[in-house]
Amino acid sequence: MTEMVYGAVPVQAGEPILPKWWRTLDKWTMSCILMLFVIGLLLGLAASVPLAERNGFGNFHYVQRQAVFGLTALAAMLITSVMSPVLVRRLAVVGFAAAFVALAFLPIFGTDFGKGAVRWYSLGFASLQPSEFLKPGFIVVAAWMIAASQQINGPPGTLMSFALCMMVVMMLVLQPDFGQACLILFGWGVMYFVAGAPMLLLVCMAGVVVLGGVFAYNSSEHFARRIDGFLNPDVDPTTQLGYATNAIREGGLFGVGVGEGQVKWSLPDAHTDFIVAVAAEEYGLVLVAVLIALYASIVVRSLFRLMRERDTFIRLAGTGLVCVFGVQAMINMGVAVRLLPAKGMTLPFVSYGGSSLIATGIAVGMLLAFTRTRPQGGIADYLNGRGR
């Protein structure tokens, strides 16, 4: 009788989007990302003041810009993490196509800002580095191709993704940008390994990479200079590596004190590539250990969640994204302590840089979308009513 008078109560087809997103989200990884962003702002307050004074800006000019870029990156991360895997894949295809075209036109319209490598577009109010946005798009597109190749009567996706990888790597090497080229190649190799690549083929690919390194050393003065500087047992104290090594040594366990560091006045890239040197000098090994723990937590938690994923595409794309994220952080910190040759690579969510921050926000948003808890077709899912 009540239904006849007032009408039937509408039945919701499913759980609302935002509550479902919050319930399925990896909140620990999200918390680690937010802590990295806060630490980046804290270090930016220390590292960017000398650069701002040299360029005639206010003391907190670059910190304010980093806050704007960082908030934009966090917004992009949150929006992307709400998307379904299918929608993330479509976004990646469009983003990769746009970044690939932008990368192709760099030799014509790009600039090097006096650094010897044409990697940026100058927009007047900011600069744009297409290779940063290319990475997450390529990883997801390549994972889609590799996953499609494992289906019955599927296309030769693995071969297609490898050909695409080689095209991107060659375009990056010609800039030259060997660091990003190595990340692209590493990301593809990790996904191919997870997809079940023959070990012999992986060993042969590693040999090809070594031969490529030898060729680059003999043909590129820029590449050879960095390798020679890394292999030289005597570090020139007036170089960036020399300043960074001395700062880490002076910092010790607890650092020299907030604002008391001196390396930021000597290092031109103290706010970007060598931000770890500033952290080690002013806050000591303690803060560096916190940074390492945060990055390790993101990588390990994401990989454990992806291990339970049955969808091949999601598993491959998520693994590629998180491994590239972790290796980029490892390379940046390894360069600062002279475990690796200089690469010119930012520390994700900590270093200053608009393109790096926003592109990393999109990449981590994709990762959070892929690592959300979802039904895997197990008996527990059916017992809990999530098997549909």
Side-chain angles (χ1 to χ4, degrees), residues 101-241:
V101 172
L103 194 70
F105 282 100
L106 263 181
I108 303 173
F109 302 107
T111 181
D112 63 354
F113 289 111
K115 296 187 177 182
V118 181
R119 303 175 184 175
W120 301 272
Y121 286 104
S122 178
L123 306 179
F125 61 93
S127 60
L128 177 68
Q129 187 174 356
S131 61
E132 292 286 355
F133 296 92
L134 187 77
K135 283 185 298 185
F138 169 78
I139 293 295
V140 175
V141 170
W144 181 30
M145 292 179 176
I146 296 174
S149 68
Q150 297 187 354
Q151 298 176 357
I152 299 175
N153 297 324
T158 302
L159 183 60
M160 293 166 60
S161 66
F162 180 71
L164 189 62
C165 176
M166 289 296 100
M167 288 176 59
V168 172
V169 167
M170 290 304 300
M171 292 172 68
L172 291 171
V173 167
L174 292 175
Q175 289 185 1
D177 191 349
F178 295 101
Q180 299 288 4
C182 289
L183 278 181
I184 291 289
L185 197 57
F186 170 78
W188 184 88
V190 165
M191 292 188 295
Y192 188 38
F193 172 77
V194 173
M199 188 58 67
L200 180 60
L201 183 59
L202 290 175
V203 172
C204 294
M205 287 179 59
V208 171
V209 171
V210 172
L211 291 177
V214 173
F215 174 78
Y217 179 83
N218 292 324
S219 58
S220 172
E221 181 181 353
H222 173 79
F223 186 83
R225 185 169 59 252
R226 292 197 169 187
I227 296 298
D228 290 340
F230 171 69
L231 296 177
N232 189 354
D234 299 321
V235 181
D236 186 352
T238 61
T239 62
Q240 294 203 94
L241 282 176

Side-chain angles (χ1 to χ4, degrees), residues 34 90-91 93 119 144 198 203 235 327 342 344 349 360 365 368 371 378:
L34 294 177
R90 293 172 180 171
L91 173 67
V93 171
R119 303 175 184 175
W144 181 30
V203 172
V235 181
V327 167
F349 279 110
T360 304
L368 290 172
T371 56

Side-chain angles (χ1 to χ4, degrees), residues 80 83 86-97 137 362 366:
T80 309
M83 297 180 181
V86 173
L87 192 56
V88 170
R89 187 180 66 199
R90 293 172 180 171
L91 173 67
V93 171
V94 174
F96 173 76
I362 295 172
M366 291 177 174

